[in-house]
Amino acid sequence: MKTHEPGTGQYGGTESGERAVAVSAEGLPGWLDPVFRAAQTVRPQQLSRFLPPESGAGRQSAVLVLFGEGARGPELLLMERAGSLRSHPGQPSFPGGSLDPEDGDQATTGPLRAALREAEEETGLDSRGVQIFGVLPRLYIPVSSFVVTPVLGWWRTPSPVGVVDPGETARVFTVPVADLTDPANRATAVHPSGHRGPAFLVESALVWGFTAGVIDRILHFAGWERPWDRAKQVPLDWRA
């Protein structure tokens, strides 16, 4: 199978005891082509104004941006973090977390392994059914000092998912891309600090912050975004 890193060259390889991972665009459904193409050229500054510190400081982590195909067409896998967690409690997010030493090199395959491992631990996902097809530039979450690599995956062979550890995850759910692009489900989230950012009101959840920002940029650069009312605001204590 042909494998390649976004841009050029190989992105794979194994070391003793490491999970074999690679980035491959072979066999992707046609509707994912715009996302794959965008991942080849998008720059960090086009995704977020929060970029990793030049000093290299920050907690290295990765998230799995997993696209599947459900009853209503293309969809994304999300989870709601447990309310007892110290970092981003109760917030909808992509599966993901910090890199462990066994994940390997943080500059190459480490984020891929971490994204798959964390998704397994948090949602019960069978990662053998996931095809990684792209990696977005590393971004920064100032409030928690996470340096996050978004890993793009195609759920080639779907598997059952659900809460594995209630201490980490409150629920696991999928969101149709059609709902994410629906202008009626879009708003601007207003943080008590005054910070504003994109938000999505979907599946009885308010998706905001880092996760909403990544989704917003993917929709934009994939050409899926529809005009929406950016003056529509929603406070972060919103409930469906």
Side-chain angles (χ1 to χ4, degrees), residues 110-215:
L112 280 64
R113 293 190 179 93
L116 293 174
R117 174 181 52 76
E118 288 284 343
E120 289 180 342
E121 294 175 0
E122 293 175 331
T123 73
L125 172 78
D126 185 347
S127 66
R128 293 172 298 181
V130 175
Q131 176 180 336
I132 297 173
F133 69 89
V135 180
L136 296 180
R138 295 187 307 158
L139 303 173
Y140 188 57
I141 304 179
V143 67
S144 55
S145 299
F146 277 114
V147 176
V148 186
T149 301
V151 176
L152 304 176
W154 158 236
W155 208 350
R156 186 184 64 252
T157 306
S159 57
V161 291
V163 174
V164 176
D165 180 357
E168 289 192 4
T169 308
R171 68 171 174 140
V172 178
F173 58 102
T174 56
V175 181
V177 171
D179 288 350
L180 294 168
T181 59
D182 186 344
N185 296 332
R186 304 214 54 181
T188 297
V190 182
H191 192 274
S193 67
H195 175 74
R196 287 167 165 75
F200 300 84
L201 295 90
V202 290
E203 300 297 321
S204 301
L206 173 62
V207 183
W208 62 282
F210 175 85
T211 302
V214 172
I215 294 173

Side-chain angles (χ1 to χ4, degrees), residues 6-234:
T8 60
Q10 293 280 351
Y11 197 0
T14 62
E15 297 178 13
S16 178
E18 289 187 348
R19 180 201 305 264
V21 293
V23 176
S24 172
E26 186 171 328
L28 287 180
W31 57 265
L32 267 177
D33 286 347
V35 181
F36 172 75
R37 290 195 298 268
Q40 309 303 298
T41 58
V42 68
R43 300 187 302 275
Q45 297 85 351
Q46 294 176 300
L47 295 175
S48 174
R49 64 188 179 93
F50 299 115
L51 304 180
E54 293 183 2
S55 64
R59 302 162 64 187
Q60 298 297 322
S61 62
V63 296
L64 181 63
V65 184
L66 183 59
F67 290 90
E69 192 150 10
R72 295 182 51 208
E75 60 186 15
L76 270 177
L77 178 69
L78 296 178
M79 51 171 274
E80 183 178 318
R81 295 169 59 81
S84 59
L85 293 175
R86 288 187 300 173
S87 296
H88 312 288
Q91 192 170 338
S93 68
F94 301 116
S98 299
L99 271 66
D100 286 348
E102 59 266 29
D103 292 323
D105 186 357
Q106 67 184 34
T108 54
T109 57
L112 280 64
R113 293 190 179 93
L116 293 174
R117 174 181 52 76
E118 288 284 343
E120 289 180 342
E121 294 175 0
E122 293 175 331
T123 73
L125 172 78
D126 185 347
S127 66
R128 293 172 298 181
V130 175
Q131 176 180 336
I132 297 173
F133 69 89
V135 180
L136 296 180
R138 295 187 307 158
L139 303 173
Y140 188 57
I141 304 179
V143 67
S144 55
S145 299
F146 277 114
V147 176
V148 186
T149 301
V151 176
L152 304 176
W154 158 236
W155 208 350
R156 186 184 64 252
T157 306
S159 57
V161 291
V163 174
V164 176
D165 180 357
E168 289 192 4
T169 308
R171 68 171 174 140
V172 178
F173 58 102
T174 56
V175 181
V177 171
D179 288 350
L180 294 168
T181 59
D182 186 344
N185 296 332
R186 304 214 54 181
T188 297
V190 182
H191 192 274
S193 67
H195 175 74
R196 287 167 165 75
F200 300 84
L201 295 90
V202 290
E203 300 297 321
S204 301
L206 173 62
V207 183
W208 62 282
F210 175 85
T211 302
V214 172
I215 294 173
D216 172 79
R217 293 295 81 195
I218 288 175
L219 297 181
H220 174 78
F221 287 107
W224 294 346
E225 184 179 35
R226 296 164 59 188
W228 57 281
D229 183 5
R230 297 174 186 272
K232 176 183 174 183
Q233 298 184 358
V234 60

